Amino acid sequence: MLRNVTQTIENAARDDDRQAISAAPGRPSRRRVHRAWIVAVVTFVTIIGGAAFNSLPGLLIEPLNTEFGWSRGEIGLAVSIDMALYGLTAPFAAALMDRFGIRRVVAVALSTVAAGALASVWMTAAWQLMIYWGLLVGLGTGSMALAFSATVTNRWFVARRGLVTGILTAAGASGQLVFLPLCAWIVEEHGWRPASVTVALAALVVVPFVWLLMRDHPADVGLAPYGGVYVEKPVPARGAASRTVRVLFDAARTGPFWLLAGTFAICGASTNGLIRTHFVPSAHDHGMPITAAASLLAVIGVFDIIGTVFSGWLTDRFDARRLLAVYYALRGISLMFLPMLMAPSVHPPMVFFIVFYGLDWVATVPPTLALCREQYGEDSAIVFGWVLASHQVGAALVAFLGGVARDAFGSYDMVWYAAGALCATAALMALVIRRQARTPEPVAPAGTG
């Protein structure tokens, strides 16, 4: 039955492509739904599948500490390797997608993270955790990082880019919403190993959808990007790695790059590195059950979707610098209050924090990506990949140092306060990014999108 369904999907996709190719390039498509939206949906589902892996590390700290006696610093180091490689892989993944195509890179990435998660079931030493979850999962998820959504958005959309960026960014939160409560329940009832197998299977299930329905470029199906005019597909560029490094060196000569990288490093430190990794064990320190703490993180995912999509809408209309300054300032204030809100049970002030923090979680992504486009044009996806690398390096440092601080002081309070101060610094940095006027891209006449 599954084989017949897969064959039907593949045939439908091929027929759809033949119909699109039969139309003259640049001519308005007669299809009611532009192909770009189908690609966006597949991208959304893929990111949800990848988000399963990002949901698990914070849930593993207590079980691994209990079963193997590994310190929170050791476990945090494995998580930090994962996050650092996630970020450092992203810019190369963007260039590899230019060279080999989105489908191939993402399919291999999903298979790699599934292999790492499955192998961890048999680990017995901390160094194995660092290889399976640090190295393999880090490399794989990095290839499906935000640079993936940036590449899809840049190729398939001219109109509605801010909105689409927000929607695709919210996919990670959607995955968190789905997998955090599920994985927390599995860990609580059946142990961490079945949870690891679950997220591996989630990634493998997505692979056929990527291979059958994803297309690398609008020209592959004879279409113009949504809201734009038809352009031929560029010849695959060789030397993906050298191009990625060259773009880094060029961007590093400009001030805006360092400001964007610095603010996004603080973003990563205060979200993935801090809240996603250490919120559950911190709440558990105060007597809150792991399932309750994980459910609160899932609620962050709900409001993250709302906040990120709304941020994309705002980015299409307002100055991205001012949006970033507001986001970071509000985030810093909320972190300063968090130590006072920790308690054995969920109470209204904690719920307010969760809602507030969720709205701000990755609302920074659409304006940051918009500033990369404004400053760096055609290289913006690769530049954003490097900016994302700084995001994950910041996350990696705090994932590790947060565990070390907990081992040393017996509390996470100092980490929350330090993160709040960093967010205030990021707000000031965002305001001094200079404006850069760029030539607008050609837009299709009204009614042709």
Side-chain angles (χ1 to χ4, degrees), residues 104-141:
R104 293 178 181 176
V105 172
V106 174
V108 171
L110 287 166
S111 301
T112 300
V113 291
L118 287 174
S120 69
V121 172
W122 294 280
M123 66 184 177
T124 56
W127 65 265
Q128 294 171 330
L129 176 67
M130 295 173 191
I131 290 194
Y132 299 149
W133 274 95
L135 180 63
L136 292 180
V137 173
L139 290 174
T141 54

Side-chain angles (χ1 to χ4, degrees), residues 103-394:
R103 286 197 301 171
R104 293 178 181 176
V105 172
V106 174
V108 171
L110 287 166
S111 301
T112 300
V113 291
L118 287 174
S120 69
V121 172
W122 294 280
M123 66 184 177
T124 56
W127 65 265
Q128 294 171 330
L129 176 67
M130 295 173 191
I131 290 194
Y132 299 149
W133 274 95
L135 180 63
L136 292 180
V137 173
L139 290 174
T141 54
S143 299
M144 298 181 296
L146 292 174
F148 169 38
S149 61
T151 301
V152 169
T153 304
N154 287 349
R155 290 185 184 183
W156 282 90
F157 292 87
V158 172
R160 302 287 187 259
R161 274 183 174 172
L163 178 63
V164 174
T165 299
I167 292 172
L168 294 182
T169 304
S174 301
Q176 177 176 295
L177 173 63
V178 172
F179 286 103
L180 254 176
L182 174 63
C183 290
W185 178 81
I186 294 174
V187 169
E188 191 83 3
E189 297 295 327
H190 304 286
W192 64 270
R193 289 180 177 84
S196 187
V197 172
T198 298
V199 297
L201 294 177
L204 292 176
V205 166
V206 178
V207 173
F209 292 94
V210 172
W211 194 257
L212 299 177
L213 300 178
M214 177 66 72
R215 294 296 179 268
D216 294 328
H217 194 279
D220 289 341
V221 289
L223 292 175
Y226 181 82
V229 297
Y230 181 86
V231 292
E232 293 291 342
K233 182 178 181 179
V235 176
R238 296 184 179 276
S242 61
R243 181 192 172 199
T244 301
V245 175
R246 185 177 66 254
V247 168
L248 171 63
F249 285 143
D250 291 342
R253 297 189 182 99
T254 66
F257 173 79
W258 293 106
L259 291 169
L260 288 167
T263 55
F264 222 41
I266 294 172
C267 177
S270 56
T271 53
N272 291 354
L274 186 58
I275 296 293
R276 179 169 286 167
T277 305
H278 294 293
F279 178 82
V280 171
S282 177
H284 190 61
D285 283 347
H286 289 80
M288 185 179 292
I290 290 178
T291 50
S295 296
L296 287 176
L297 275 187
V299 173
I300 284 182
V302 175
F303 290 94
D304 183 6
I305 297 170
I306 299 170
T308 307
V309 174
F310 185 54
S311 177
W313 182 85
L314 290 174
T315 301
D316 287 332
R317 291 161 175 78
F318 299 101
D319 186 350
R321 298 156 191 77
R322 294 184 180 181
L323 290 176
L324 284 179
V326 171
Y327 296 157
Y328 285 121
L330 293 176
R331 182 182 299 181
I333 293 171
S334 65
L335 284 172
M336 291 289 187
F337 283 97
L338 183 57
M340 304 177 227
L341 304 179
M342 290 293 184
S345 59
V346 179
H347 50 90
M350 175 60 83
V351 173
F352 180 79
F353 169 84
I354 292 296
V355 172
F356 187 86
Y357 211 82
L359 291 172
D360 191 73
W361 182 269
V362 285
T364 55
V365 172
T368 300
L369 183 51
L371 289 173
C372 285
R373 290 197 198 101
E374 176 186 306
Q375 297 285 339
Y376 303 105
E378 293 181 356
D379 290 329
S380 62
I382 297 177
V383 172
F384 181 71
W386 284 113
V387 171
L388 177 63
S390 71
H391 180 281
Q392 293 306 113
V393 169

Side-chain angles (χ1 to χ4, degrees), residues 15-25 29 31 35 221-223:
D15 292 343
D16 188 31
D17 291 347
R18 292 190 193 102
Q19 292 173 8
I21 293 172
S22 65
S29 173
R31 290 150 37 84
R35 180 83 184 193
V221 289
L223 292 175

